[in-house]
Amino acid sequence: MTTQQIIDLENQYLAPTYGRPGIVLDRGSGNYIYDLDGKRYLDFIGGIAVNSLGHAVPEIIGAVSQQAAKLMHVSNLYHTAPHAILAQLLVENAFESKVFFCNSGSESIEAALKFSRRWAFAEGGEAKHEIVSFENSFHGRTYGAISATAQPKYHEGFAPMLPGMVYLPFNDLAALDQTISKEKTAAVLLEPLQGEGGVNTAQLEFLSKIRELCDERNVALIFDEIQCGLCRTGKFFAYQHSGIEPDVMTLAKPLGGGLPIGAVMMKPHVADQLKPGLHGSTFGANPVVCHVATAVVRKMLSEGIADRAASSGAVLMDGLRSLQGRHSDIKDVRGLGLLVGIEFEGEVAGLVAACQEEGLLVGSAGTNVLRCAPALTIDQQHIDEALNIISRVLDSRDA
Ligand SMILES: Cc1ncc(COP(=O)(O)O)c(C=O)c1O
């Protein structure tokens, strides 16, 4: 089939929930993707921060085929080894906790909200049900997740939202004290580094104050590390930059190396409130995806991928800041590790398209921020290539 035939078929048969560019991606290798017509693209969006080890990774391919040939699915009615091994690996590299597996980021948010409310119910009854979240957050597309996402554009036409959601400004200490309450608040939910909402880092004082109030008022602190966790920011988990631990943490995106998986890690006091039948998933912790995720995490740990993300991120940001010196419409370059945002005066959709035309795939975060979330395995050559393309695109726009 040709590119146009595939696009026509999609337009005819797929629900119109996405606006896609006019190319069809066909195969990937390392940090590059090729379209159906053989054109090569440097991948600086990585399937929205999913392909952290790149494309066609031998260890991932091996893990998929090995486990698929052995046992692919039995449901959670039975014990299997892969999810036990993966849970142990995650816990040993985080904090004392237990893990619930599901199939996506949004599902892990749903589970985190349910588990936190269940714990809060045991502590303070039904009144203690409020979930506090923050402006410009993004927590996913299911009802609980959009309700917790404090951006009106995701709510439009879908009202009413889940009751008990309270939205506060991000990085605003003053608002916290009046809102987080022992009697009413079940949980505070935030991304230590907001991705979708514009690549905004939670300040240390903000995180410390939230932790302090959650401890004082017996409230669960949930970190959404779906995008910023698992080496992306230059530490294995983003919370390790501050040393401030959550009670509950959600993971997804890069965990399955491209296969769908979500995970909720919760401290024992939250896990102790759960019992068989309270929550579940048919596919969650599927043996294939858990075996693959174990291979992903082991590779991340053994190859020092977090450190690589930290050093490559610093080089990329330096390069972008020197571009900022030459292009006055770049307002800011920010991020942590290899989650990098370039804020422009105006909308970035045209820039994203122009970069693609020049052979570079990047994304956006909100309307004005260009987002780079490449594989964490990129090296100097990839960074130079990306900077050259962005520079060329900006120069031709200015000309
Ligand atoms: C921080 C964060 N939370 C939750 C989600 C939702 O994850 P999913 O798309 O896998 O449901 C995303 C996805 O972009 C995300 O970036």
Side-chain angles (χ1 to χ4, degrees), residues 318-331:
D318 273 355
L320 290 169
R321 288 201 175 107
S322 47
L323 278 187
Q324 187 182 9
R326 300 204 331 260
H327 297 276
S328 57
D329 59 341
I330 300 184
K331 281 173 65 185

Side-chain angles (χ1 to χ4, degrees), residues 48 104-107 109 138-140 191 196 224 226-227 252-253:
I48 324 184
S104 68
S106 300
E107 270 185 60
I109 292 291
F138 183 79
H139 299 296
E191 298 152 85
E196 208 73 23
D224 176 345
I226 289 165
Q227 183 156 171
K253 289 188 180 281

Side-chain angles (χ1 to χ4, degrees), residues 140-154:
R141 302 291 197 147
T142 52
Y143 253 106
I146 53 167
S147 301
T149 294
Q151 295 199 58
K153 69 177 179 190
Y154 292 107

Side-chain angles (χ1 to χ4, degrees), residues 64-399:
V64 172
S65 46
Q66 191 190 33
Q67 187 59 43
K70 195 175 173 201
L71 184 68
M72 207 137 104
H73 177 80
V74 289
S75 87
N76 281 297
L77 293 176
Y78 304 99
H79 294 288
T80 55
H83 66 182
I85 293 166
L86 176 61
Q88 179 186 23
L89 187 61
L90 290 173
V91 172
E92 283 178 355
N93 286 285
F95 42 82
E96 190 192 352
S97 52
K98 294 210 166 170
V99 187
F100 175 85
F101 289 115
C102 50
N103 309 291
S104 68
S106 300
E107 270 185 60
S108 72
I109 292 291
E110 295 296 327
L113 296 178
K114 281 181 75 178
F115 299 161
S116 302
R117 275 194 171 164
R118 185 73 188 191
W119 164 80
F121 174 72
E123 295 292 307
E126 267 183 18
K128 193 171 169 65
H129 69 270
E130 284 184 359
I131 309 288
V132 175
S133 65
F134 296 93
E135 286 167 12
N136 292 322
S137 55
F138 183 79
H139 299 296
R141 302 291 197 147
T142 52
Y143 253 106
I146 53 167
S147 301
T149 294
Q151 295 199 58
K153 69 177 179 190
Y154 292 107
H155 301 174
E156 216 178 290
F158 294 118
M161 293 294 110
L162 199 67
M165 297 291 161
V166 180
Y167 309 131
L168 293 182
F170 194 57
N171 279 329
D172 179 348
L173 277 97
L176 299 171
D177 191 33
Q178 296 142 22
T179 308
I180 299 173
S181 122
K182 186 172 175 20
E183 291 72 32
K184 294 204 309 208
T185 314
V188 176
L189 165 66
L190 77 154
E191 298 152 85
L193 173 59
Q194 289 184 335
E196 208 73 23
V199 189
N200 310 307
T201 309
Q203 285 156 11
L204 181 59
E205 316 82 74
F206 183 63
L207 291 173
S208 307
K209 186 72 185 166
I210 292 176
R211 183 68 272 180
E212 182 193 315
L213 291 171
C214 285
D215 288 340
E216 189 185 291
R217 300 176 190 177
N218 201 26
V219 169
L221 175 54
I222 310 171
F223 281 171
D224 176 345
E225 293 225 10
I226 289 165
Q227 183 156 171
C228 63
L230 297 168
C231 303
R232 171 67 48 195
T233 66
K235 298 267 187 205
F236 192 65
F237 293 115
Y239 79 81
Q240 291 163 338
H241 288 280
S242 67
I244 293 166
E245 281 181 9
D247 302 297
V248 179
M249 179 165 72
T250 58
L251 303 173
K253 289 188 180 281
L255 183 57
L259 294 185
I261 183 171
V264 185
M265 304 184 69
M266 70 207 95
K267 287 197 167 163
H269 62 278
V270 178
D272 286 348
Q273 294 303 326
L274 306 182
K275 58 181 184 197
L278 270 188
H279 194 56
S281 164
T282 299
F283 286 116
N286 172 289
V288 174
V289 71
C290 286
H291 190 61
V292 171
T294 300
V296 167
V297 174
R298 284 192 179 140
K299 189 171 165 73
M300 284 176 166
L301 292 167
S302 67
E303 296 185 6
I305 296 293
D307 290 342
R308 281 182 69 173
S311 52
S312 299
V315 175
L316 176 62
M317 275 198 274
D318 273 355
L320 290 169
R321 288 201 175 107
S322 47
L323 278 187
Q324 187 182 9
R326 300 204 331 260
H327 297 276
S328 57
D329 59 341
I330 300 184
K331 281 173 65 185
D332 194 20
V333 174
R334 57 179 181 258
L336 255 182
L338 280 172
L339 183 51
V340 174
I342 313 155
E343 185 180 344
F344 284 84
E345 288 285 353
E347 293 194 2
V348 295
L351 284 176
V352 172
C355 285
Q356 179 206 300
E357 197 54 42
E358 294 291 317
L360 174 71
L361 301 183
V362 287
S364 57
T367 50
N368 287 11
V369 178
L370 201 82
R371 176 171 32 167
C372 298
L376 310 178
T377 49
I378 55 165
D379 58 28
Q380 185 70 51
Q381 170 225 319
H382 304 114
I383 295 173
D384 290 343
E385 190 180 339
L387 288 169
N388 282 337
I389 292 177
I390 295 171
S391 172
R392 221 166 43 233
V393 164
L394 292 175
D395 284 342
S396 68
R397 202 175 66 149
D398 292 347

